[in-house]
Amino acid sequence: MSSWRGWLPAMAVLSLTACGGGEPIRPTPALVEEAYQWNQRAESAYRRGDLDVALDASRHALDLYRSLEDSDGVARELANLSSIHLARGETDQAVAVLTPILAQGGAPFRAGHRAEAAYRIAVIEAARSPARAGEWLDRAEQHCGSGCETQGQMLNLRARLLLAAKQPAQAQALARRALGVHEKRGDRQEQANSRRLLGDIALGNAQPVEARADYQRALEIDKDEAVPRKIFADLMGIGMTFAAERRREEAATHFRRARDVAQAAGDRAAAAEADRRLTELAR
């Protein structure tokens, strides 16, 4: 089961934390705090599916970060706007808002910002043109160099493209490398993405038991992280492993659970996908 649905780039959420060394904590400047609050409103609205509110809040945060020439904040909010446009079905806008990060001149973006922007465009293009996705991924890897925060995600995407190109052995090797990167960094959501990808690869290799183990590990994490679209993808994957073993009752149970999650989240397309699997199972 190869689906882009479960691993599109998430919102880039700002955390304001203070740490270290016994030094006194300085008050957060008022505009930085205001930008942070708008960022959090956008993230909260995005999670509950209120995309108009998310769009407005993210734009407010972006304006504030631009007024401070905060390149980290600007890059983060442009990434967030891309995620919101994508969730609204506005694919071209999702790509367009990221292009300022890649342009020469202007705001002083770092190589890591450019790597993430190119990676996000590659993910978007993967659903439309694997060839273009590969080109954008090449650009992302060039910006990343010997290592960056999105290195593991890039490995996952490269593995996904290899799987689509019917090169499962190479895909599996890269997905395992990605999992190692995410485990080292303690990034649980990306660990789940790697596990789900390994499940897809194992299922394609007619290894339903191995696939189910990876999907179940992904499901445990995604429930902890409270991400409905990924919970849906995990449940669908588990259902497919049971279907591959002709265990129709267990398969149907998981497809129904996936449909319930999608319906509760207001994702009609996902609910329809689950219904389609249930119909196929009944034949």
Side-chain angles (χ1 to χ4, degrees):
M1 188 190 80
S2 179
S3 171
W4 305 101
R5 175 182 298 279
W7 61 285
L8 287 169
M11 291 276 283
V13 183
L14 172 64
S15 296
L16 289 183
T17 58
C19 61
E23 296 180 2
I25 299 175
R26 292 180 298 176
T28 301
L31 284 180
V32 174
E33 176 64 26
E34 185 180 352
Y36 167 74
Q37 293 299 332
W38 281 113
N39 171 278
Q40 295 298 288
R41 289 178 203 172
E43 191 270 342
S44 178
Y46 179 82
R47 279 184 174 270
R48 67 176 182 265
D50 195 342
L51 299 179
D52 288 341
V53 171
L55 188 65
D56 181 69
S58 188
R59 284 172 173 165
H60 275 286
L62 176 61
D63 286 342
L64 288 167
Y65 286 125
R66 278 178 167 158
S67 75
L68 299 170
E69 202 180 33
D70 182 338
S71 59
D72 288 336
V74 171
R76 183 186 308 112
E77 291 310 324
L78 289 174
N80 286 346
L81 283 169
S82 178
S83 295
I84 295 165
H85 281 301
L86 196 61
R88 289 162 59 98
E90 300 163 352
T91 307
D92 289 340
Q93 292 95 316
V95 171
V97 296
L98 294 170
T99 55
I101 301 174
L102 298 163
Q104 297 299 320
F109 293 112
R110 294 182 288 105
H113 296 148
R114 301 182 197 281
E116 181 173 354
Y119 160 73
R120 284 175 174 263
I121 294 174
V123 172
I124 295 168
E125 292 294 355
R128 304 195 290 187
S129 168
R132 283 203 304 271
E135 292 170 1
W136 278 105
L137 186 54
D138 289 342
R139 291 182 62 177
E141 289 169 345
Q142 290 170 4
H143 288 300
C144 186
S146 60
C148 61
E149 291 183 3
T150 51
Q151 181 184 25
Q153 291 99 309
M154 291 178 196
L155 289 170
N156 269 348
L157 178 54
R158 183 70 73 185
R160 181 70 68 175
L161 293 173
L162 286 168
L163 180 60
K166 303 188 185 303
Q167 300 180 55
Q170 297 94 318
Q172 187 177 60
L174 284 184
R176 285 174 175 164
R177 276 183 59 194
L179 179 60
V181 170
H182 297 314
E183 287 178 340
K184 185 176 181 179
R185 292 183 174 174
D187 190 332
R188 283 174 54 78
Q189 286 198 30
E190 290 301 332
Q191 288 175 44
N193 287 343
S194 293
R195 287 290 183 187
R196 194 179 312 105
L197 175 55
L198 286 166
D200 289 350
I201 294 168
L203 187 58
N205 286 337
Q207 298 173 313
V209 175
E210 292 84 349
R212 187 154 57 245
D214 282 315
Y215 288 135
Q216 286 173 335
R217 289 174 187 171
L219 180 61
E220 291 170 5
I221 296 172
D222 290 330
K223 282 191 168 184
D224 286 344
E225 298 295 320
V227 188
R229 62 189 173 83
K230 295 184 178 183
I231 294 170
F232 167 84
D234 300 333
L235 290 168
M236 290 293 289
I238 295 170
M240 291 295 290
T241 67
F242 283 122
E245 295 175 319
R246 300 186 183 279
R247 295 165 63 177
R248 294 190 174 188
E249 184 175 343
E250 292 101 322
T253 295
H254 284 83
F255 291 152
R256 291 190 193 100
R257 286 173 60 187
R259 181 183 61 191
D260 290 345
V261 168
Q263 288 176 338
D267 191 335
R268 294 180 180 177
E273 182 181 344
D275 276 330
R276 181 173 61 82
R277 292 293 185 184
L278 285 165
T279 299
E280 291 175 355
L281 201 63
R283 290 174 182 167

